């Protein structure tokens, strides 16, 4: 069934913006003191930016505020009794202005000059509409209004957010997509930049962070649980200038709640779920914040675990619900604040995902079962260590972060060849691969806010990533050994950026990043017939400069426009394809984006905008299936991607919000490489093929939906002084895409609707919630792959989890 026309009409009828979510409730704990310090703390806790129309307001004394509330409520309480009030700029930006009889225009240069004669105030010095708090870099033009950063809280995802992982983000943000091999081994894509369905030696196209720690380089998504987070930030790509290599599509950053040095607190959650025609599920987690030395030293720790019941049956083995998955993990954070502007943060995190079998089906049964002779389990073990040292003084900040990540991914695929009677009997077999990834990063940066509302930062970073993958076959039919791969990449980088106001309403941002990359690749366990295609082997180096420039103009208090240009790249490497160890080149993207954001502000009103982007992608790295059935990385040529994405948020009544968001993509392989031949499937093919050529039936890039959209409605009401009720409903359409490049992978996927409902009652420190997903019990096809070796012999689909009802309980102290 096709849903394009109905859903497109419904969503596009109201969508004209970059995502803007309703003001949700967060835990706020702000001490009494100066206004500038208070809004700095609120910005970090609520994931928003707050500006001062007049920097002199920062010296005003404000009361302490504590409790669970919206950003608007927190700002109103801070400013109670003063001559100032909060004004919403857009969904995540506020500014504090003087009460009536004062102009609402942006502060002039004369006002800033007068402010410089005043005694210096504690950080931060904030410009009304530009500075974003709670980011990796606090002072940058990148913001919701500039169209490159999307930010949301766990409340905006839903009551079950903390017991879930990346799938919760995919349901909420249409510009995110993913493969669906299973949690812990998927690849994430942002805004149409997608390359491959497999986990191979090439880098991920999207970067992932936990706080200051980079989680991946060429590893799959670790699928960390979204527990105890203050905000989730999505930087639309490319983001090479700030974040470096491997961020062609952008960056997803999980921001943990900070250690509170003056408060003993905790929370715990427990949830049960029932899935139609599947096993039940159970999840639990707990978080504790413990000050060790009041105001100086504290710790914060989270632990969690869960069992997700299976829902795929195996007809051949006569087994039910084979795709059960178990997750266990935790995070420990230590913070010391010795004074004089210094702080030290240490974080250790770990998680293990154990999948008992693949989550795919075939089309021969009821689309929730398959027939395979073996189980195909997988496991992801993830560990992280981080040290961050900061120094604040006046309007400057120095940050040094050192991180180490270790990830091991084990996968098993069915390699069975079907029988061709009477000549060939069935040939059972298994293919196993184990990836080992170690990532070391070190970054130091210095940032400063300027008196005129501008800012700058400078930084250096060192990265070392080692990726090893070993492969083996258990089959009587396949007698040859299989080469493994080791790619080690080292990167030294210097980067910087400056934001400068040219006029009261015009802000310009210019930055650049220069990186030198060393690559050392080699074959592991290589059979005698494998060979390197160059005498220089896998050792290479390259230097890249990635510029960026952005312009943001405020046409009126409620309307802002922007234009942004940025580049990104991925390093080269080596891969195995058709029994040969081959090199692939680095690829690079350049994107220009423009858009507008409108915001009426207030608890009622309308926020909307639109963003259009064009991306040019050179020497695209993609994985294809060779004649040996193995995926291998190849440069497939040059492509381009057009995207239009946006959302709206209408608040017709206090507590009621109606949201819509959507993205339209058009991706093409415009100049195929010599070894890629695009053929019309309905035409007779007579062309002579070069050696190693791959014939493809479409020039569409893989895993890029033509259209995806989401509609949601939410309502929050106070039933009494101590009881709040929240209701929400949503539906998301995922458009059609193709699995990959080449005749074997040229299969359709997507074109389905997912739906959900939730209700929660908050009693202050206790709450109970009920959530339903896939309400209409749609099957769908999220991903058309289970095993690349058996794909040529039958259709494979990855269905949606059937209708699931989940009930949960939360408690705080």
């Amino acid at each position: 069934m096709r849903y394009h026309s109905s859903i497109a009409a419904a969503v596009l009828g109201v969508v004209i913006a970059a995502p803007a979510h309703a003001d949700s409730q967060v835990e706020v704990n702000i001490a009494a003191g100066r206004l500038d310090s208070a809004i700095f703390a609120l910005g970090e806790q609520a994931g928003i930016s707050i500006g001062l129309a007049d920097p002199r307001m920062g010296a005003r004394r404000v009361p302490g505020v504590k409790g669970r509330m919206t950003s608007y409520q927190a700002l109103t309480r801070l400013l109670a009794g003063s001559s100032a009030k909060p004004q919403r700029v857009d969904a995540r930006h506020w500014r504090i202005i003087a009460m009536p009889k004062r102009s609402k225009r942006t502060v002039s240069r004369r006002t800033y000059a007068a402010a410089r004669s005043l005694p210096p105030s504690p950080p931060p010095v904030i410009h009304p509409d530009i500075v974003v708090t709670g980011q990796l870099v606090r002072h940058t033009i990148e913001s919701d209004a500039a169209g490159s950063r999307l930010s949301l809280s766990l409340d905006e995802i839903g009551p079950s957010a903390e017991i879930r992982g990346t799938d919760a983000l995919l349901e909420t943000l249409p510009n995110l997509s993913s493969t669906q091999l299973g949690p812990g081994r998927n690849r994430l894509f942002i805004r149409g930049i997608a390359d491959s369905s497999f986990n191979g030696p090439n880098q991920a196209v999207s970067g992932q962070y936990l706080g200051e720690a980079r989680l991946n380089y060429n590893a799959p998504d670790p699928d960390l649980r979204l527990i105890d987070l203050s905000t989730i930030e999505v930087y639309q790509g490319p983001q090479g200038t700030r974040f470096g290599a491997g961020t062609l599509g952008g960056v997803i950053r999980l921001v943990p709640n900070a250690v509170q040095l003056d408060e003993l607190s905790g929370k715990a959650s427990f949830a049960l779920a029932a899935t139609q025609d599947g096993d039940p599920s159970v999840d639990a987690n707990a978080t504790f914040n413990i000050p060790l030395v009041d105001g100086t030293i504290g710790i914060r720790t989270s632990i969690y675990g869960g069992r997700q019941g299976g829902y795929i049956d195996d007809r051949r083995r006569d087994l039910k619900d084979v795709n059960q998955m178990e997750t266990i993990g935790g995070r420990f954070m230590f913070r010391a604040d010795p004074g004089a502007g210094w702080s030290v943060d240490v974080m250790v995190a770990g998680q293990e995902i154990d999948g008992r079998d693949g989550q795919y089906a075939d089309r021969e049964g009821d689309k929730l079962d398959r027939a395979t002779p073996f189980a195909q389990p997988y496991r992801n073990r993830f560990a992280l260590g981080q040290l961050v040292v900061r120094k604040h003084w006046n309007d400057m900040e120095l940050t040094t972060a050192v991180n180490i990540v270790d990830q091991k991914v084990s996968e098993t695929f069915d390699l069975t060849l079907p029988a061709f009677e009477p000549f060939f009997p069935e040939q059972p077999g298994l293919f196993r691969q184990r990836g080992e990834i170690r990532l070391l990063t070190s970054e130091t940066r210095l940032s400063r806010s300027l008196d005129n509302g501008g800012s700058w930062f400078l930084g250096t970073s060192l990265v070392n990533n080692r990726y090893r993958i070993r492969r083996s076959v258990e089959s009587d039919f396949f007698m040859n050994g299989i080469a493994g791969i080791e790619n080690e990449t080292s990167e030294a980088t210097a980067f910087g950026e400056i934001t400068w106001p040219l006029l009261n309403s015009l802000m310009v941002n210019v930055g650049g990043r220069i990186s030198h990359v060393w690559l050392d690749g080699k074959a592991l366990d290589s059979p005698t017939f494998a060979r390197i295609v160059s005498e220089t082997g896998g050792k290479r180096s390259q230097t890249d400069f990635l510029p960026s420039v952005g312009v943001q103009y405020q046409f009126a208090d409620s309307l802002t426009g922007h234009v942004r240009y940025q580049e990104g790249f991925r390093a080269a490497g080596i891969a195995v394809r058709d029994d040969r160890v081959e090199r692939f080149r680095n690829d690079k993207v350049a994107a220009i984006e423009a858009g507008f954001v409108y915001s009426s502000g207030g608890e009622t009103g309308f926020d909307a905008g639109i963003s259009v982007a064009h991306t040019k992608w050179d020497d695209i790295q993609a994985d294809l299936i060779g004649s040996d059935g193995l995926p291998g990385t190849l440069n497939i040529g040059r492509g381009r991607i057009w995207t239009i994405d946006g959302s709206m948020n209408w608040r017709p009544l206090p507590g009621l919000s109606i949201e819509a968001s959507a993205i339209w993509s058009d991706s093409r392989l415009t100049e195929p490489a010599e070894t890629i031949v695009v053929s019309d499937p309905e035409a007779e093919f007579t062309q002579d093929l070069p050696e190693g050529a791959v014939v493809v039936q479409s020039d569409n890039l893989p895993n890029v939906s033509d259209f995806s959209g989401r509609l949601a409605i939410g309502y929050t009401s106070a039933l009494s002084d101590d009881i709040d009720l929240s209701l929400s409903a949503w539906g998301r359409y995922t458009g059609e895409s193709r699995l990959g490049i080449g005749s074997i992978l040229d299969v359709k996927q997507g074109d389905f609707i997912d739906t959900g409902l939730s209700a929660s009652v908050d009693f202050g420190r206790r709450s109970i919630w009920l959530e339903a997903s896939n309400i209409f019990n749609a099957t769908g096809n999220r991903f058309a792959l289970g095993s690349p070796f058996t794909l040529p012999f039958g259709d494979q689909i990855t269905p949606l989890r059937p209708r699931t009802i989940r009930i949960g309980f939360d408690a705080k102290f």
Side-chain angles (χ1 to χ4, degrees):
M1 179 177 180
R2 303 284 295 181
Y3 302 101
H4 286 84
S5 58
S6 59
I7 296 299
V11 176
L12 288 179
V14 290
V15 169
I16 57 169
H21 297 275
D23 200 10
S24 58
Q25 293 185 339
V26 295
E27 289 293 335
V28 174
N29 187 0
I30 304 170
R34 292 174 56 109
L35 175 59
D36 49 16
S37 298
I39 63 174
F40 182 76
L42 177 59
E44 288 193 319
Q45 294 172 23
I48 60 175
S49 69
I50 310 167
L52 296 174
D54 187 339
R56 291 173 294 185
M57 294 180 181
R60 297 179 181 178
R61 304 294 297 182
V62 294
V65 176
K66 184 176 180 180
R68 188 172 183 81
M69 62 193 74
T70 67
S71 302
Y72 177 79
Q73 291 169 335
L75 286 169
T76 301
R77 295 184 188 184
L78 280 176
L79 300 174
S82 72
S83 59
K85 67 176 182 179
Q87 181 186 65
R88 185 192 292 266
V89 178
D90 57 46
R92 286 291 172 188
H93 289 69
W94 295 82
R95 63 180 175 184
I96 296 173
I97 63 173
M99 296 289 271
K101 296 187 179 180
R102 291 289 306 274
S103 172
K104 293 185 179 182
R105 292 183 303 160
T106 306
V107 180
S108 67
R109 295 180 183 272
R110 181 177 301 176
T111 305
Y112 281 115
R116 287 199 293 269
S117 65
L118 299 175
S121 59
V125 177
I126 302 179
H127 185 270
D129 299 325
I130 302 301
V131 175
V132 178
T133 61
Q135 293 190 39
L136 278 170
V137 179
R138 302 186 193 281
H139 317 299
T140 170
I141 197 171
E142 295 174 344
S143 65
D144 296 310
S148 51
R149 183 180 76 100
L150 318 176
S151 180
L152 67 158
S153 68
L154 294 183
D155 282 348
E156 291 167 318
I157 296 175
S160 66
E162 288 199 307
I163 65 172
R164 303 176 64 191
T166 305
D167 63 312
L169 300 181
L170 297 174
E171 289 179 359
T172 307
L173 299 174
N175 64 344
L176 294 186
S177 59
S178 170
T179 62
Q180 293 293 332
L181 284 169
R185 57 176 183 163
N186 294 325
R187 296 175 73 98
L188 291 181
F189 311 124
I190 304 174
R191 200 165 64 175
I193 307 295
D195 62 340
S196 171
S197 299
F198 310 102
N199 294 314
N202 60 335
Q203 278 182 257
V205 293
S206 300
Q208 294 177 260
Y209 281 77
L210 178 63
E212 297 280 357
R214 180 160 184 173
L215 303 179
N216 71 329
Y217 197 79
N218 57 353
D221 169 27
D223 202 25
L224 298 182
R225 290 286 178 91
L226 307 180
I227 186 171
D228 196 35
L229 301 180
S230 64
T231 57
I232 299 164
E233 300 170 350
V234 180
Y235 296 79
Q236 301 193 106
Q239 288 289 336
T241 300
R242 173 61 190 92
F243 294 98
T247 58
L248 276 61
V251 170
I252 299 172
R253 181 176 177 240
L254 311 179
V255 184
N257 284 315
V259 179
Q260 301 298 314
L261 301 180
D262 56 357
E263 178 184 83
L264 176 64
S265 61
K267 57 183 179 180
S269 300
F270 179 76
L272 293 170
T275 298
Q276 183 168 326
D277 299 321
D279 277 349
S281 304
V282 59
D283 292 276
N285 63 64
T287 298
F288 303 94
N289 187 94
I290 305 172
L292 302 179
V293 178
D294 192 42
T296 304
I297 299 176
I299 61 174
R300 191 179 186 95
T301 184
S302 299
I303 55 174
Y304 55 89
R307 174 187 179 274
Q308 300 301 304
Y311 52 90
I312 299 295
D313 300 335
D314 194 294
R315 301 187 303 272
R316 179 166 177 173
R317 291 179 288 150
D318 194 25
L319 296 176
K320 299 289 186 181
D321 308 323
V322 296
N323 62 317
Q324 174 184 317
M325 185 190 70
E326 296 177 351
T327 303
I328 186 170
R331 184 168 70 237
F332 172 84
M333 300 170 64
F334 167 88
R335 182 177 178 85
D337 190 355
W342 288 97
S343 65
V344 178
D345 292 277
V346 176
M347 179 169 63
V348 178
Q351 178 176 279
E352 179 172 322
I353 298 175
D354 187 1
R356 303 297 178 86
D357 209 332
Q359 61 179 18
Y360 71 99
D362 59 35
R363 297 184 183 274
E364 296 182 12
D366 61 3
K367 297 184 180 180
L368 289 174
D369 61 4
R370 65 174 187 267
T372 52
F374 308 107
Q376 300 170 67
Y378 67 91
R379 176 175 293 177
N380 183 308
R381 293 179 177 176
F382 175 87
L384 161 71
Q386 177 188 89
L387 170 67
V388 181
V389 179
R390 289 187 176 91
K391 166 64 175 176
H392 296 269
W393 63 96
N394 294 327
D395 53 1
M396 297 184 68
E397 176 182 295
L398 177 68
T399 302
T400 296
V402 180
N403 311 290
I404 180 170
V405 172
D406 184 82
Q407 190 171 178
K408 296 178 173 63
V409 183
S410 302
E411 300 176 274
T412 302
F413 295 99
D414 182 18
L415 188 63
T416 300
L417 297 181
F420 292 95
E421 301 294 349
F423 304 103
F424 297 101
E426 181 183 76
Q427 300 292 333
L430 282 175
F431 174 85
R432 302 184 189 274
Q433 70 177 21
R434 176 180 173 85
E436 298 178 356
I437 305 100
R438 185 210 61 197
L439 173 63
L440 298 171
T441 61
S442 174
E443 179 173 298
T444 298
R445 63 180 181 271
L446 179 67
S447 58
R448 182 177 183 181
S449 293
L450 305 176
D451 290 343
N452 65 356
S455 62
W456 57 260
F457 67 81
L458 296 171
T460 62
S461 72
L462 299 173
V463 176
N464 178 264
N465 183 82
R466 187 187 67 192
Y467 174 85
R468 289 178 177 173
I469 184 168
R470 283 186 162 91
R471 299 161 170 173
S472 64
V473 170
E474 299 176 11
S475 172
D476 293 333
F477 182 78
F478 294 93
M479 304 301 295
N480 295 325
I482 298 179
I485 291 293
E486 177 178 306
N487 279 329
E488 183 169 3
T489 306
S490 298
E491 177 186 335
T493 295
F495 57 91
E497 190 173 80
I498 184 169
T499 300
W500 194 266
L502 296 182
L503 300 170
N504 290 341
S505 300
L506 178 64
M507 190 71 70
V508 175
N509 169 272
V510 178
R513 183 184 192 96
I514 185 167
S515 298
H516 188 75
V517 180
W518 297 266
L519 172 71
D520 186 3
K522 61 183 179 182
L524 301 174
D525 310 317
S526 177
T528 56
F529 55 79
R531 61 186 177 87
I532 302 292
V533 297
S534 172
E535 294 181 358
T536 59
K539 290 187 177 181
R540 277 164 292 167
S541 64
Q542 65 184 83
T543 300
D544 276 289
F545 175 71
L546 303 175
S548 67
V549 60
V551 177
Q552 182 173 309
Y553 186 78
Q554 187 169 352
F555 295 93
D557 287 344
S558 57
L559 181 63
T560 303
H562 77 276
V563 177
R564 184 176 72 102
Y565 173 84
Q566 194 157 211
E567 297 181 1
F569 79 99
R570 288 188 295 178
I574 65 172
V576 175
R577 192 172 75 93
D578 293 336
D579 297 334
R580 298 193 307 172
V581 181
E582 298 183 340
R583 302 192 307 175
F584 56 87
R585 300 183 300 277
N586 65 295
D587 58 354
K588 191 171 185 177
V589 300
I592 185 167
E593 169 194 318
F596 297 91
V597 168
Y598 171 84
S599 177
S600 61
E603 286 192 288
T604 60
F606 182 79
D607 302 328
I610 191 168
S611 180
V612 180
H614 178 267
T615 303
K616 187 179 74 170
W617 195 347
D618 294 333
D619 286 326
I620 300 171
Q621 297 175 11
D623 285 347
L624 296 84
I625 293 181
S627 60
D628 57 2
L630 288 171
T633 303
L634 187 70
N635 296 104
I636 63 172
R638 175 177 295 176
R640 64 105 178 108
I641 302 171
W642 280 100
T643 58
I644 302 175
D645 67 291
S647 75
M648 55 76 66
N649 176 13
W650 180 34
R651 302 175 300 281
L653 300 170
L656 176 64
S657 65
I658 301 172
E659 300 178 32
S661 52
I663 179 169
W664 171 83
S665 298
D666 180 54
S667 63
R668 292 287 183 272
L669 183 63
T670 55
E671 298 181 26
E674 292 183 359
T675 54
I676 304 298
V677 179
V678 180
S679 171
D680 184 351
E682 298 182 358
E684 183 178 353
F685 188 79
T686 60
Q687 180 178 347
D688 293 332
L689 299 179
E691 181 182 359
V694 177
V695 179
V696 300
Q697 306 297 321
S698 171
D699 59 0
N700 289 342
L701 295 181
N703 293 298
V704 181
S705 299
D706 49 4
F707 178 84
S708 294
R710 184 178 188 269
L711 289 169
I713 183 169
Y715 179 72
T716 301
S717 177
L719 302 181
S720 69
D721 291 341
D722 301 319
I723 302 177
D724 292 327
L725 171 67
S726 296
L727 303 171
S728 67
W730 60 268
R732 169 170 172 159
Y733 170 72
T734 299
E736 184 180 286
S737 64
R738 293 180 179 270
L739 177 62
I741 296 291
S743 57
I744 296 177
L745 302 179
D746 188 30
V747 292
K748 295 179 180 180
Q749 59 192 11
D751 191 23
F752 63 86
I753 291 178
D754 193 9
T755 51
L757 293 169
S758 68
S760 64
V761 181
D762 191 336
F763 300 94
R765 295 194 174 275
R766 305 286 186 273
S767 64
I768 181 173
W769 50 268
L770 186 68
E771 190 176 73
S773 60
N774 195 5
I775 300 168
F776 300 105
N777 205 35
T779 300
N781 181 14
R782 295 181 292 166
F783 192 53
L785 176 68
S787 170
F789 305 99
T790 59
L791 181 63
F793 309 114
D795 288 340
Q796 299 173 2
I797 65 172
T798 302
L800 295 167
R801 174 176 283 272
R803 183 186 295 113
T804 298
I805 307 297
R806 182 179 284 110
I807 185 171
F809 308 89
D810 301 331
K812 302 174 184 177
F813 65 86

